[in-house]
Every structure is written in C-alpha cells, then in structure tokens.
Amino acid sequence: KRLNVLTLVVIHQPRREVAELFDTLVLLTSNPGRMAYFGQMGQASSYMDKCGYPVPAHASATDFYLDLLTPGSELDASDALVAAFATQQKPGLAEVMDEELAVQGRTAREMLLAAQEPALQGEQGAAAPSARLGPYAVSFSCQVRTLLRRKMLLTLRNPGAIGTQLAMPATMGVVLGAVFQGIGNHAFGI
C-alpha cells in the first residue's frame, strides 16, 4: 500500500483468517473463468445475500462462494451469479476502467524514487527504504545466501537427512567399487 502497487494473489479455498486479510475479491467460475464478483472482501457476503444466496450462519464464506461457483456442485449458482455480475457490477466497473486507462500511470522506477524522496530531501525521521533500480529486486549474492540458509535450516531440522546425505554416496562408492573390483586384472572374452 505504501507504494500504491497492485498485488494479485490466486488462492483456492483460503482459511477465513487469510481471506479477511484481502482488500478486494474477484470470484471466477471454473471452466471457462467467467467473472461473478468484483469488489471489497467485506462486502461480498452482502452482495451474495442481495443476489439471493445468503452465506449460512456457521459456514465459511469462502467455501460457500466456491460451492456457488463450481459448476455441477449441489449449490451451483454460477450462471445466475455471472448474470448478476453482468447487470449489477460490470457497467460500473467498465466505466471506472475507462477512466483509469485514460490517466498515464507512473513506472516502477518512478514509484520507487517517489518512496525514497522524503529521506533524500532530508526530512527529519524519514528513512529511505532500500530499493534497487536494476532488473532484479535483490543482488545475486543475496539470493544465493538466502537459498543456502534455507537449505541449511531444512537439513538441520531433520538429522536423519544429514546421515542419509552422507551415507548414500559412501554406500554407492562401496557398491560400485565391488562391482568393478579387479576389472583390469582379469582377461575377458574368448
């Protein structure tokens, strides 16, 4: 939100606690992916109620939405919700999109520089957020360090894995050594 950047997350059957973290919700039907809802996460239940599909009192709202939008399910209402979207939400959404597309937005570089501007101008208490303006967000060495640290932590969590990683090459060496032992000392063939 600080940089005013849109983040998209595709998630299937999120827990209630996770779903409540989202600002905006887009509901699509499965096969062929028609839009059935676009709006604030907190307003989705009231919209479904207005369309004639109230969320049951002790049900997970996100599971209920999936049941409504899955063709062939017991609660399948995908066609009705797609039609409701086309009449209730789509005209207003198309208007907003046309207005926003007419305005030239800032590039990623411009947004990063704008976020650093208060600190660069010497405003008291402002700290410049670290930002790289190159093609990658972090350096190659930082990526390697992060991956190595993750691999080390995963390995150390399972002591059996350490033994396996050491025992497997040693066992393979013994087996291959036994198979090829004395190969140059024996005459083969006719």
Side-chain angles (χ1 to χ4, degrees), residues 55 68 74 95 142 154 174 187:
V55 177
L68 288 176
E74 187 177 313
E95 185 179 313
C142 180
L154 288 174
V174 169

Side-chain angles (χ1 to χ4, degrees), residues 90-127:
K90 190 174 182 178
L93 185 60
E95 185 179 313
V96 170
M97 284 177 44
D98 290 340
E99 291 172 5
E100 292 298 323
L101 288 173
V103 177
Q104 176 68 34
R106 295 189 295 179
T107 65
R109 181 183 180 89
E110 291 168 344
M111 287 187 278
L112 290 170
L113 289 173
Q116 290 181 330
E117 197 169 310
L120 295 175
Q121 291 177 355
E123 290 183 20
Q124 197 169 21

Side-chain angles (χ1 to χ4, degrees), residues 26-37 65-66 68-71 76-83 85:
V26 177
L27 291 175
L28 302 173
T29 64
S30 67
N31 200 12
R34 300 167 295 162
M35 194 173 290
Y37 176 76
Y65 302 153
L66 283 175
L68 288 176
L69 295 172
T70 303
D76 180 13
S78 55
D79 292 333
L81 289 172
V82 168
F85 172 80

Side-chain angles (χ1 to χ4, degrees), residues 1-7 21-24 40 106 111:
K1 287 185 177 182
R2 288 182 310 150
L3 296 177
N4 198 22
V5 175
L6 175 67
T7 303
L21 296 174
F22 297 131
D23 296 326
T24 305
Q40 296 298 313
R106 295 189 295 179
M111 287 187 278

Side-chain angles (χ1 to χ4, degrees), residues 162-181:
I162 296 172
T164 303
Q165 289 178 351
L166 295 174
M168 282 299 288
T171 304
M172 288 299 291
V174 169
V175 169
L176 289 175
V179 168
F180 295 106
Q181 182 180 10

